[in-house]
Amino acid sequence: MAPNRNRIGAVSFIPKDMKYFLLTIMCLFYVDAYSQFGPQQIITQAADGSKWIIATDIDGDGYKDVASANQFGSNLTWYKNLDRHGTFGPENIIASLNQTFFISDADIDGDGDIDVMAVSFAQDKIVWYENLDGQGNFSVQNIISNTTDGAYCVVAGDLDGDGDMDVISGSDFSGLAWYENLDGQGVFFKHLIDNNVSGTRSVVVIDVDGDSDLDIVGNSTAPNKTYWIENVDGLGTFGAPNSIYEMGQYVTKVIAADVDGDGDTDVLTASSGDNEIAWFENLDGLGNFGPKNTITNTLVDAWTVYAADLDNDGDIDVLATSTEPFGGEIVWFENLDGQGNFSAKKTISTQVQSPRSVIAADIDNDGDMDVIASSLVDDTIAWYENYTILGVEENQIDTIKIYPNPTEGLIYISSKKEPIIGATIFDILGKKVLQLDGNIQQLDISNLQNGMYFLQITTDTGAIVQKIIKE
């Protein structure tokens, strides 16, 4: 259930001699007293069989847009974030690509904007599309490979350390391969990593062993295995797979993140057959992994997992989905101690039908991570506002006006009923960054860094707090 924001006005007036203390308490109260995530906000209901989504700045305006790989219909689409607050425009078609299950983004041609990569499972293709003008007008299909039998996933990373984006693919029957970006502009050459790896659903490129080059984390079905492969020379020469876990049911998603806050790369998995979300600790920072740590084994048809700091406490929390055919849910698990001990399931939404993808990004530019998810059966992509910081969202009291907001410098303040006796600005950590006394009618915040702050206006009877954005 979304927070009842009208109640903010009831507690916005606070005794001025306790204002700093109660500002912090008020932030914590609203995070704890209400659901952290808001109601479903629809981006589209026409993503025909959406399989995977990304959030990235496609048009270069500084706001996170959303793109989708759809199994049917207009297969690759994107949606513009129109106003930095999560109002999205209509569907923009990137391309039609038969049976695409995956989309990812990278600057493939080194021109400073976001290009798009995708796969066609039916046509055995791995392809990329150039962002021609940096504003989301895309080129015709550029083929990376058309012989990848059962192409399923594709990501980018600089595997050979030459400063451009190479491409890594996973497939059902063609093994694991990487494609060297020969000229930094999207001309590729294939290198086979392991042709015995089959049924790959996830590939991650990340430094597993702490030697500052990019290794590979993935999964396979023969046997059911989660593994990592070392980039032995930093130039794209790979060793044999190192097993992370070989028991249990088939893994549908693998990701990597520092779950326990010790500075190295741990691995998380989702397994639909086990109804399980789990993580594996990188014990020594060198790629020797410990036993399975189960986050939950009761999430029906657990399909995907995503890691992000959802509550702004500095550690990694976990998102996941349950994918019942005509139901399911989007949930998250709080990292209680920053060391990988997680809370019970916290539900974000059940207004979904088989949600296959969930990610996090700051959609409304307020400093916290919102949640975006797509559903296969109801063709819906939606986002859910994170109220961690918005617990002190703009007050509902109309006696004091604060404008413009956002601002590049000057903020004007007017009071209808009583004089203002002071104004204080705090950053998102509660640190006081500006304080003025007297009947303040304007503030100059041009010297502050861009971002979100809390402005407290004090009168004889108390104070109000409002979120402001410095651009």
Side-chain angles (χ1 to χ4, degrees):
M1 183 179 70
N4 182 354
R5 296 190 183 183
N6 292 326
R7 292 191 59 188
I8 294 176
V11 295
S12 289
F13 282 89
I14 55 178
K16 58 188 177 183
D17 58 343
M18 298 180 67
K19 58 188 177 183
Y20 184 83
F21 172 75
L22 287 185
L23 173 63
T24 304
I25 294 300
M26 189 166 61
C27 292
L28 295 175
F29 172 79
Y30 278 98
V31 170
D32 290 338
Y34 300 111
S35 171
Q36 181 173 323
F37 290 94
Q40 184 183 73
Q41 301 188 56
I42 302 294
I43 297 173
T44 182
Q45 292 179 306
D48 197 358
S50 179
K51 283 278 197 172
W52 193 249
I53 54 172
I54 56 173
T56 188
D57 183 10
I58 289 177
D59 55 356
D61 63 358
Y63 314 147
K64 294 291 186 183
D65 309 303
V66 172
S68 177
N70 310 316
Q71 187 172 354
F72 313 109
S74 299
N75 304 97
L76 298 173
T77 54
W78 76 278
Y79 306 86
K80 178 177 171 61
N81 189 340
L82 297 173
D83 59 0
R84 76 172 283 156
H85 298 303
T87 302
F88 285 87
E91 173 186 272
N92 298 287
I93 298 175
I94 300 171
S96 293
L97 186 65
N98 190 18
Q99 292 281 306
T100 183
F101 297 159
F102 202 89
I103 185 172
S104 59
D105 64 300
D107 183 7
I108 294 296
D109 53 0
D111 62 355
D113 56 34
I114 294 298
D115 307 305
V116 166
M117 298 167 291
V119 300
S120 170
F121 183 83
Q123 295 177 323
D124 302 328
K125 282 183 178 180
I126 302 164
V127 300
W128 74 281
Y129 300 89
E130 181 186 356
N131 193 338
L132 295 171
D133 54 3
Q135 297 180 24
N137 293 301
F138 287 90
S139 71
V140 296
Q141 181 182 110
N142 297 290
I143 296 176
I144 300 172
S145 170
N146 57 10
T147 59
T148 303
D149 193 1
Y152 204 93
C153 57
V154 60
V155 295
D158 184 8
L159 293 183
D160 52 4
D162 63 355
D164 57 34
M165 286 291 105
D166 308 304
V167 170
I168 305 91
S169 69
S171 65
D172 270 359
F173 309 111
S174 289
L176 192 68
W178 75 281
Y179 305 84
E180 182 181 356
N181 194 339
L182 295 174
D183 58 358
Q185 297 181 24
V187 175
F188 290 95
F189 178 80
K190 179 179 179 179
H191 299 267
L192 185 63
I193 298 172
D194 192 320
N195 61 3
N196 294 316
V197 173
S198 63
T200 297
R201 291 294 178 266
S202 290
V203 174
V204 181
V205 285
I206 197 166
D207 184 8
V208 174
D209 53 1
D211 62 357
S212 299
D213 58 33
L214 291 179
D215 309 302
I216 291 175
V217 181
N219 77 306
S220 67
T221 56
N224 290 336
K225 178 190 288 188
T226 303
Y227 60 83
W228 76 279
I229 303 176
E230 182 184 358
N231 189 343
V232 296
D233 57 4
L235 301 173
T237 302
F238 287 91
N242 300 285
S243 177
I244 297 173
Y245 190 65
E246 294 190 28
M247 300 174 64
Q249 297 290 321
Y250 177 52
V251 168
T252 50
K253 186 67 179 177
V254 175
I255 62 169
D258 183 7
V259 174
D260 53 2
D262 62 356
D264 58 33
T265 299
D266 307 305
V267 169
L268 301 97
T269 60
S271 175
S272 60
D274 291 323
N275 301 324
E276 182 178 82
I277 305 294
W279 74 280
F280 302 85
E281 182 184 357
N282 191 339
L283 297 172
D284 53 6
L286 300 175
N288 293 301
F289 286 86
K292 179 176 67 177
N293 299 285
T294 300
I295 298 174
T296 183
N297 56 12
T298 61
L299 189 63
V300 177
D301 290 328
W303 192 263
T304 194
V305 61
Y306 192 91
D309 182 5
L310 297 175
D311 52 5
N312 276 41
D313 63 354
D315 58 36
I316 294 297
D317 308 301
V318 169
L319 280 165
T321 65
S322 164
T323 57
E324 299 174 61
F326 297 99
E329 58 184 338
I330 302 162
V331 302
W332 75 285
F333 303 87
E334 181 185 355
N335 194 337
L336 297 171
D337 56 3
Q339 298 179 26
N341 292 301
F342 287 89
S343 71
K345 177 183 74 177
K346 301 184 179 186
T347 298
I348 297 173
S349 178
T350 57
Q351 292 180 280
V352 288
Q353 293 184 28
S354 193
R356 292 298 183 95
S357 181
V358 64
I359 58 175
D362 187 5
I363 292 296
D364 53 3
N365 290 269
D366 64 354
D368 55 27
M369 298 294 279
D370 307 301
V371 170
I372 314 100
S374 68
S375 303
L376 179 70
V377 174
D378 60 8
D379 304 328
T380 296
I381 302 173
W383 74 282
Y384 306 84
E385 185 178 355
N386 190 337
Y387 291 131
T388 295
I389 290 177
L390 293 185
V392 285
E393 174 67 83
E394 288 86 350
N395 65 81
Q396 305 299 313
I397 300 173
D398 61 3
T399 59
I400 295 178
K401 298 294 184 183
I402 300 169
Y403 61 95
N405 187 17
T407 181
E408 294 181 354
L410 288 178
I411 293 180
Y412 297 94
I413 307 168
S414 64
S415 177
K416 293 182 179 179
K417 293 184 178 180
E418 54 186 338
I420 295 167
I421 62 175
T424 307
I425 295 178
F426 301 89
D427 66 17
I428 62 174
L429 299 178
K431 180 182 178 181
K432 186 187 300 182
V433 296
L434 180 66
Q435 182 171 5
L436 295 174
D437 296 322
N439 188 10
I440 308 301
Q441 296 182 358
Q442 71 177 42
L443 291 170
D444 184 358
I445 63 170
S446 59
N447 290 329
L448 297 182
Q449 294 183 352
N450 293 351
M452 192 188 75
Y453 297 84
F454 296 117
L455 171 60
Q456 179 180 281
I457 304 298
T458 306
T459 68
D460 284 329
T461 59
I464 66 166
V465 177
Q466 179 166 328
K467 181 191 76 176
I468 58 173
I469 302 291
K470 164 67 189 320
E471 292 185 329

